[in-house]
Amino acid sequence: MNIILLGPPGAGKGTQASHLVSSRGMVQLSTGDMLREAKTSGTEMGRRVAEVMDRGELVTDEIVIGLIREKLDQGSDGGFIFDGFPRTLAQADALGELLAEKGETLDAVIEMQVDDETLVRRIVNRAEEARAAGQPVRADDNEESMRIRLMEYYKKTAPLIGYYHAKGMLNRVDGLGSIEAVQADIAAILDN
Ligand code: AMP
């Protein structure tokens, strides 16, 4: 089973994806994690990616589609969770084509709904908690980058909600509930 977790930054996609990895043996494909890895690679591509990400803007479709293509080639018995990808209509089309090439399908899209004020609060808290614990703080986890990330989401990613709705694949969960409550809602969709 292959699924997309869709939602704004701070909606809890990564947390829910980790749970699906441990509970269902799925493979999480987070383009954000892959790009953060590329940032530290010291390559020219890494430097360009870092600038764009730290501002809170989206990196090019070409780069992220390339990253996903490589991972899909490695295969997954338990299926893939796409976390933070696709983020544009071009990426959504590319994903459909890549899966079709492999004879695979997309089984569900889960939109995690959380209001903006909560999102900004969650991200600022995430940064404060990391700082207090002496852990690295994401360069884009600050209020200014977060506003840009939200704007990018509404301009470029939110149209995917209509796109997948039209394909009859869209499911919605209330992302404001407890982690366990959201887990249960997602499980109910996947087991349906
Ligand atoms: P995330 O960890 O998903 O919040 O992603 C962090 C940042 O990585 C985003 O703000 C973008 O700059 C970049 N990014 C991650 N995934 C994508 C994507 N699918 N398309 C474009 N940029 C992405």
Side-chain angles (χ1 to χ4, degrees):
M1 168 173 257
N2 300 308
I3 67 167
I4 293 175
L5 292 182
L6 188 64
K13 301 185 295 294
T15 302
Q16 293 299 328
S18 301
H19 176 71
L20 291 169
V21 169
S22 51
S23 61
R24 293 178 187 247
M26 298 176 81
V27 168
Q28 174 185 8
L29 296 186
S30 157
T31 40
D33 287 347
M34 294 174 210
L35 291 166
R36 275 183 288 279
E37 216 170 281
K39 260 175 85 167
T40 60
S41 65
T43 60
E44 176 55 30
M45 195 265 250
R47 267 190 299 277
R48 268 187 289 135
V49 160
E51 276 178 26
V52 176
M53 283 177 82
D54 293 354
R55 278 202 301 271
E57 294 167 8
L58 295 188
V59 309
T60 64
D61 289 334
E62 196 190 353
I63 289 178
V64 288
I65 292 166
L67 290 171
I68 288 287
R69 180 183 287 117
E70 263 175 47
K71 298 286 179 180
L72 288 184
D73 284 343
Q74 294 167 13
S76 156
D77 291 340
F80 291 107
I81 309 154
F82 298 97
D83 160 14
F85 177 92
R87 262 178 156 98
T88 64
L89 290 167
Q91 292 177 22
D93 281 336
L95 178 61
E97 283 162 23
L98 288 172
L99 288 172
E101 276 170 25
K102 306 233 159 276
E104 296 261 354
T105 52
L106 185 61
D107 300 288
V109 177
I110 298 172
E111 183 206 352
M112 300 179 62
Q113 297 185 303
V114 178
D115 63 276
D116 285 3
E117 232 168 274
T118 305
L119 295 171
V120 174
R121 205 169 48 237
R122 279 187 185 178
I123 294 287
V124 171
N125 283 346
R126 177 162 83 184
E128 272 167 15
E129 274 166 26
R131 219 169 270 125
Q135 286 165 355
V137 178
R138 276 177 55 166
D140 58 351
D141 272 358
N142 58 72
E143 211 164 326
E144 194 190 333
S145 294
M146 184 58 188
R147 300 271 169 214
I148 296 173
R149 285 156 72 192
L150 276 177
M151 198 50 75
E152 291 282 77
Y153 177 77
Y154 290 117
K155 279 199 295 199
K156 298 176 182 164
T157 309
L160 300 188
I161 295 167
Y163 175 96
Y164 286 117
H165 178 70
K167 286 178 180 279
M169 286 182 191
L170 189 71
N171 299 271
R172 295 190 153 114
V173 297
D174 177 3
L176 284 176
S178 67
I179 290 176
E180 293 75 18
V182 179
Q183 278 168 8
D185 288 347
I186 292 177
I189 291 166
L190 300 185
D191 294 335
N192 188 340

